[in-house]
Amino acid sequence: TKKLFEKIDESLENKDNYVETVELESFNDGIQFKDVSFAYDDGYILDNVNISLKKGKKYLIVGPSGGGKSTFLKLLRKYFLPNKGMILIDGKDLKDVRKESYFKRISNVEQDVFLFEDTLRNNISLYKDYSDEEILEAIEKAGLKDFVRSLPQGLDSMIYDNGKNISGGEKSRIAIARSLLQKSDIMLLDEAFASLDSKTAKEIENTLLNLKDITLVNVSHVVFKENRSKYDQV
């Protein structure tokens, strides 16, 4: 098995030796894709893309399966770098921005939310130290206030087996509360409403669209006519 372990170790080595030198202290203006192209092994998924995402605005990204929506998000998350062109954040090349300082500015809400078998408080705070005021503010903005009030032990109530004792809508709201608690400037949604019933999804989407000063990028194939017009750009 020695050869097998050697191959595993080799596959885990970081092959990217590019040195990031820029510290992103704040997010003040926006993100710009300039002539961005990206290809996997089998050809270009995004070709010469130009788009601007301004601070505090709300964006809905729609398109067919395989159209490049997830790739666009991965570039935004700095999972990949463009093959051509550049992504700028407040005029700085995202390629040069240190991952740690950039990741502090973004938060992700996915379709599948993982919950720990622990208290609601720890599931929202992710074991970091926040004051009750900060947690309660995030809960209110995420639309979880009535849910917390209905629990016998409030924030100290237990969540079991990855959320077995709560609904899908409540799981999604917990994920949103996590993001709000991080005080991130940019919230990225990746098919976050796909597993929810339409009533719950519309309510959560409305909550997010009403958040001030947060740049929202929602990549989704679930589009509600009532909410579509509330986005700054589709």
Side-chain angles (χ1 to χ4, degrees), residues 23-36:
E23 196 74 29
L24 190 67
E25 301 290 349
S26 60
F27 176 58
N28 304 307
D29 181 38
I31 298 174
Q32 187 179 10
F33 279 56
K34 289 186 74 175
D35 304 322
V36 168

Side-chain angles (χ1 to χ4, degrees), residues 52-233:
S52 291
L53 307 169
K54 302 300 287 183
K55 180 179 169 65
K57 300 288 187 183
K58 309 294 185 278
Y59 299 93
L60 176 63
I61 311 290
V62 296
S65 180
K69 301 189 299 297
S70 293
T71 301
F72 175 75
L73 261 194
K74 284 171 183 171
L75 288 168
L76 257 184
R77 289 170 174 156
K78 208 177 171 181
Y79 290 176
F80 301 129
L81 296 173
N83 297 116
K84 299 177 185 174
M86 61 198 307
I87 303 170
L88 302 174
I89 179 163
D90 286 354
K92 303 175 183 75
D93 192 336
L94 188 59
K95 183 178 181 180
D96 295 323
V97 174
R98 292 183 67 245
K99 288 184 180 70
E100 292 85 352
S101 69
Y102 180 58
F103 291 162
K104 286 177 187 174
R105 302 285 157 204
I106 67 173
S107 59
N108 296 290
V109 181
E110 310 276 351
Q111 179 179 345
D112 297 315
V113 181
F114 181 80
L115 299 180
F116 299 95
E117 188 149 332
D118 206 330
T119 63
L120 178 61
R121 181 193 302 275
N122 286 338
N123 267 292
I124 293 173
S125 69
L126 295 177
Y127 306 98
K128 294 175 184 172
D129 289 325
Y130 294 103
S131 68
D132 282 354
E133 289 75 21
E134 288 175 307
I135 293 173
L136 290 171
E137 184 184 358
I139 281 168
E140 186 157 3
K141 286 181 177 176
L144 270 173
K145 195 174 180 180
D146 290 339
F147 169 64
V148 175
R149 280 178 176 168
S150 72
L151 296 172
Q153 293 174 284
L155 281 170
D156 296 315
S157 298
M158 285 291 293
I159 304 295
Y160 295 111
D161 193 19
N162 193 19
K164 202 172 184 179
N165 56 332
I166 64 174
S167 72
E170 286 151 359
K171 284 180 76 170
S172 292
R173 288 185 191 275
I174 289 170
I176 290 162
R178 285 173 177 173
S179 298
L180 294 170
L181 200 52
Q182 291 173 33
K183 295 183 170 60
S184 52
D185 300 297
I186 304 156
M187 191 180 291
L188 307 176
L189 276 66
D190 189 3
E191 301 291 357
F193 308 136
S195 58
L196 303 177
D197 64 88
S198 60
K199 181 177 181 292
T200 302
K202 283 177 198 173
E203 287 173 1
I204 293 174
E205 188 175 32
N206 257 322
T207 299
L208 296 174
L209 288 168
N210 288 323
L211 294 173
K212 291 181 179 177
D213 301 322
I214 289 181
T215 307
L216 180 74
V217 181
N218 179 17
V219 170
S220 181
H221 71 269
V222 178
V223 180
F224 302 111
K225 290 179 182 177
E226 307 95 303
N227 290 346
R228 186 180 174 121
S229 61
K230 297 177 185 176
Y231 285 91
D232 294 288
Q233 197 171 348

